[in-house]
Amino acid sequence: MPQILGLFKTPELAADAAQALKNAGFDPHKGDYDILTGCPYPEEVFGEHVAPHRLFLFPIIGAICGFVAGLLITGGMQVTYPMITGGKPILSLPPMVIITYEGTMLGAIIFTILGTLFESRLPNLEGGVYDPRITTDGFIGVVAQGPAERVAEAESIFQKVGAEDVVREAAAAGRTS
Amino acid sequence: MRRRRSFPLIHTGRPWRIAYWVFPYDFNHQIFPNPRSPLVWDPSAIFTYLTGSALFVIVALIPDFAAIRDRSTGTRKLIYGALAMGWRGTPRQWKMQTIVGVLLSALILPVFVSVHSIVSWDFAVSLVPIWHATVFAPYFVIGAVHSGVSAVLTLMAIMRKFFGWKNQLRPEHFDAIGRLLIAVACAWLYFFMLDVFYAIYAAEPAELTVMELRFFSWPWGALFWVVLITSFIIPIPLWLKRSNRRNITLMFWSSILVNIGMWSERFWLIVPGLQRKEEFTYMWNVYNPNLVEIGLVVGSVAMVGLFLLLFSKVCPPIPLWEIKEGQKFTAEIPLGRMRVPAIVKE
């Protein structure tokens, strides 16, 4: 779908552009427009919509996987190679706790990273319209997407609100990759 | 931590035998994986810590990789572009970045505690005198915090001086770390004394004998005073005064003292237990490091510097996006549709 990027000097102008897009029928819930910034801003400063995420589930699932793996490795080792000492149980619990704990934490950490990438939609192989001035000069980008006529409408909105520059997709292709 | 990261193989003794512990390798020689051995606990903890820390650094650097990508050209742009993975800086991506910082900090902290506890158990599950105090785990953890945070202080002072980061590493940061170290050093001294008192209360002859050697015989008695003076007696009274905590030169040299003291403390804690009495001559057989061992220690210190310099060369040691964020929100400001409470920096 064609995209267009408006670059704004201040957060106020970017918020105005986002509001104007909303008034013109661009729906943030459907991803019709989005904001690009070089540093984090407090939520909803631009009146944007961030879809719900499930990042908190990932460490829990990872921890369960790591716990089971740790239990199977330590239990399996001792059952496969039993070390019978003075009638004591074959499964020695204290070392199992240690390795299972490390497995649990490792699983939680790895899944948290994977979850972050997944929820951030990274790696972003599609690229999308982008301009390096967002990080180099502190511009705030407002990206609109839709059919060609809607993109043209967004462009006129950006010009009207006071965009410093407007970047079309063809001119910016592949800049993020 | 970096030294530990660079040394997991050496740490395991004979690294070519790792395969024996990890994989069921050589059944004919009765070699089998045994999770009851601390030699299995230790690599599992270090691997978790190493993986977690490395992933944390990489994921936190993604926005900075994107910033470098946007400023570079040619091969460098390709490499940083691949590392940035197509980051664009959408509100969703920033939100995930903020949450993952909190989540991973919360997950890595217990791993840090477990790693140092498990390292202490490498010693504590043995029967060597003075190695098997039950207090070893928290004692090692607090010792790691004391030496680790002091090493951070040393590096901060060096970076501030040589990289010119006067605006990023300010006296208030040194002040805050100094205050933290006062509490940490007091806790360390508490565990240090507990370790000694446990030996006295238990009154095992072997333990008392080695303890006596540690305090009253050359060179261990002298080393004890080095540990106590450099890790506590000199730095703590200095750090109690606010103007001292904000004096970068003083903080640098006092943190160097703590580094020396804490390294000596580990030597003093571990090595005297390796002494053996020769029954008929009434002589003590004392450990003397050979040239290879001295080389390993010197090399490990050099490697810390090397890795730090290499990292600083290719990645920003202070996240650029956090600096930008701090600059944006220095006061309460009207932003977009709202007035936002700004991030107040000390």
Side-chain angles (χ1 to χ4, degrees), chain A residues 41 90 102 119 129-130 135, chain B residues 24 36 70 88 92 114 328:
Chain A
Y41 281 82
I90 289 172
E102 294 301 333
E119 292 289 355
V129 64
Y130 182 75
T135 55
Chain B
R36 296 180 197 193
D70 292 347
R88 299 170 81 204
R92 184 183 184 85
S114 76
K328 277 261 186 299

Side-chain angles (χ1 to χ4, degrees), chain A residues 11-12 34-37 41 45 51 53 81 90 95 101-102 105 113 116 119-120 122-124 129-130 135 176, chain B residues 24 27 35-36 69-70 85-86 88-94 96 100 104 107 110 114 118 324 328 334-335 337:
Chain A
E12 290 76 18
D34 209 348
I35 314 290
L36 308 181
T37 57
Y41 281 82
V45 158
H53 65 90
Y81 305 97
I90 289 172
Y101 172 80
E102 294 301 333
M105 298 311 287
I113 301 289
T116 305
E119 292 289 355
S120 304
L122 294 174
N124 171 21
V129 64
Y130 182 75
T135 55
T176 56
Chain B
F27 305 118
R36 296 180 197 193
R69 169 199 67 195
D70 292 347
M85 294 189 281
R88 299 170 81 204
T90 62
R92 184 183 184 85
Q93 288 177 334
W94 286 119
M96 292 306 123
V100 78
L104 284 181
L107 287 170
S114 76
I118 289 169
K324 280 187 202 168
K328 277 261 186 299
L335 203 60
R337 324 195 71 74

Side-chain angles (χ1 to χ4, degrees), chain B residues 61-172:
Chain B
L61 279 173
I62 292 174
D64 285 349
F65 289 145
I68 302 170
R69 169 199 67 195
D70 292 347
R71 283 164 193 267
S72 50
T73 52
T75 316
R76 193 175 290 179
K77 188 180 180 76
L78 273 178
I79 294 170
Y80 283 106
L83 289 169
M85 294 189 281
W87 172 276
R88 299 170 81 204
T90 62
R92 184 183 184 85
Q93 288 177 334
W94 286 119
K95 187 174 182 177
M96 292 306 123
Q97 191 63 229
T98 312
I99 296 173
V100 78
V102 177
L103 269 180
L104 284 181
S105 304
L107 287 170
I108 284 182
L109 198 61
V111 174
F112 164 80
V113 172
S114 76
V115 164
H116 292 285
S117 300
I118 289 169
V119 169
S120 82
W121 294 334
D122 284 353
F123 301 102
V125 297
S126 71
L127 292 175
V128 176
I130 72 164
W131 281 10
H132 58 94
T134 46
V135 77
F136 252 33
Y139 181 23
F140 269 53
V141 172
I142 205 74
V145 178
H146 193 23
S147 59
V149 177
S150 298
V152 169
L153 206 56
T154 311
L155 293 173
M156 278 170 61
I158 292 172
M159 287 173 148
R160 183 183 150 94
K161 171 94 179 161
F162 291 104
F163 294 171
W165 288 351
K166 290 190 167 52
N167 292 329
Q168 285 78 26
L169 302 172
R170 296 195 301 274
E172 52 263 37

Side-chain angles (χ1 to χ4, degrees), chain B residues 1-12 42 46 49-50 53 115-116 119 143-144 147-148 151 155 256 258-267 293-308:
Chain B
M1 188 177 79
R2 281 170 180 271
R3 193 161 70 191
R4 179 179 296 287
R5 278 182 186 178
S6 61
F7 268 47
L9 290 181
I10 295 170
H11 188 81
T12 54
D42 202 33
I46 291 173
Y49 197 26
L50 176 65
S53 311
V115 164
H116 292 285
V119 169
S147 59
L155 293 173
I256 291 277
V258 177
N259 293 335
I260 294 169
M262 291 307 293
W263 191 87
S264 308
E265 184 237 24
R266 291 300 151 102
F267 197 83
E293 290 164 327
I294 293 169
L296 284 172
V297 172
V298 175
S300 69
V301 174
M303 277 174 84
V304 173
L306 175 69
F307 283 137
L308 186 81

Side-chain angles (χ1 to χ4, degrees), chain B residues 231-280:
Chain B
S231 298
F232 196 89
I233 293 176
I234 295 178
I236 301 307
L238 276 178
W239 294 341
L240 284 174
K241 206 172 166 197
R242 187 170 180 269
S243 58
N244 286 346
R245 290 198 303 268
R246 288 174 179 250
N247 181 334
I248 313 292
T249 313
L250 199 72
M251 289 305 278
F252 171 74
W253 287 111
S254 56
S255 68
I256 291 277
L257 276 184
V258 177
N259 293 335
I260 294 169
M262 291 307 293
W263 191 87
S264 308
E265 184 237 24
R266 291 300 151 102
F267 197 83
W268 182 81
L269 204 62
I270 302 304
V271 177
L274 297 171
Q275 294 188 107
R276 293 291 177 270
K277 200 169 186 178
E278 294 178 357
E279 286 187 23
F280 297 109

